[in-house]
Amino acid sequence: MSSEKPTGADDKRFETLSVTYGEEPDLASGVGDVTSPIHLASTYAVEGIDMDTALEDLEPDDGEFLYTRLSNPTRHAVEKRVAALEGGDHAMAFASGTSAIVATLMAAVEPGDHVVAFEDLYGGTNTMLKELFRDKLNVAVDFVDAADPEEVREATTDETAMLWMETPTNPLLRLCDIEEMAAIADDHDALLGVDNTFMGPYFQRPLELGADVVVHSTTKYINGHSDSLGGVTVLSDDDYAQEIGFLQQVGMGNVMAPFDAYMVLRGMKTLPLRMRQHEKNAAEVAAYLESHELVDAVHYPGLESHPQHDLADEQMDGHGGVLSFELAGGLEAVEHFVAALEEFTLAVSLGGVESLIEHPASMTHSPLPAEERAELGITDSLLRASVGVEHPKDLIADLERGFEAMRDATEGEVAEATSDDD
Ligand SMILES: *Cc1c(COP(=O)(O)O)cnc(C)c1O
């Protein structure tokens, strides 16, 4: 299916761009590496004095490198490739997903502006919007349930500078309709930003659906091996790109390091292969969990029981590798379950080739007050899994170990209660 996805860049398909785009061998250098070298130099020799040297050119290309904070060839290769995969004209690579998000938002809003955000956002972005933008920068922020476009429409006014969305969200895998969000933003001359980390450009391309800007934590699927921290912003508007470039290079000096850029270039080569396997495994795990008596609910957009399954099929080319589920039992049952797992490692983060599991209430979403977690539906029995590319049968056998441990613990309690009665 997805192999026929055209992307526009050189009329090449996604798989081809993933492997080679942005890494043309440079025979003129006398070496011709087929992969981009890690350019560690902080500064570059220039030909001579040139009064036209354009320091304000925020996207210097080959031969125009001056200083690595401004532009670096390895980082530049990442930027070119991600722009091609997302279908945007410009990309900037940052030291983390968080720094991509803060620069993208800061370039779009001023004190006194208003932002409408999905209430079910990445925990760090939620805290950033409240404690940096609202409390320090005087930007009003409304959090709404964007799964219902009416709520977004009601919250958006002519003061609104930006709608900030994730779809699917973390950890409940709820969706918002990107085309609807773009229409609402347009009606108020606001921008629509989408954090596309969970699907990656292989499964979802928000710019094609009307978003103005897309960000990723490359730490997750784009790098894909849990061994590099990074972020990117992709967009097509020249002026907005110039503003973000200014913040990246001059306002904050926050750029992806050459070594990480090399890792991300390498990771991206297998992005389509990995995403296909993540999805296949996640679908099997989701179906297994959904039929299990010790599971109360499974949240995965690929399941027909997902309330927005049709929207998922409309706006995404697949359903991704992340799911969450609620165990039948309280915190103690959850503790027994995760302690018994061998393949799923108890850890935050997602998108790597290895399977991870985490407990949002005590880990990723612990900064949110308990009442807020309850309102969002993040219960103490909820677990989020990032399903890796191992054999799905081994993953299911691992989850079965967890359920066994839950059963043993309950039986132990029953036995104890009975013996107490004696
Ligand atoms: C991880 C993540 C981020 C933050 O990225 P870092 O690289 O950790 O700074 C932002 N958004 C989403 C959806 C994420 O999963």
Side-chain angles (χ1 to χ4, degrees), residues 10 82 125 155 336 344:
D10 291 356
V82 178
T125 308
H336 288 297
F344 282 88

Side-chain angles (χ1 to χ4, degrees), residues 95-99 101 122 125 166 170 195 197-198 216-220 229-231 349-350 384:
S96 67
T98 302
S99 50
I101 293 169
Y122 180 72
T125 308
E166 281 174 30
N170 175 16
D195 179 336
T197 300
F198 267 44
H216 283 279
S217 166
T218 59
T219 314
K220 316 296 169 53
L229 196 75
S349 200
L350 57 112
R384 184 194 75 192

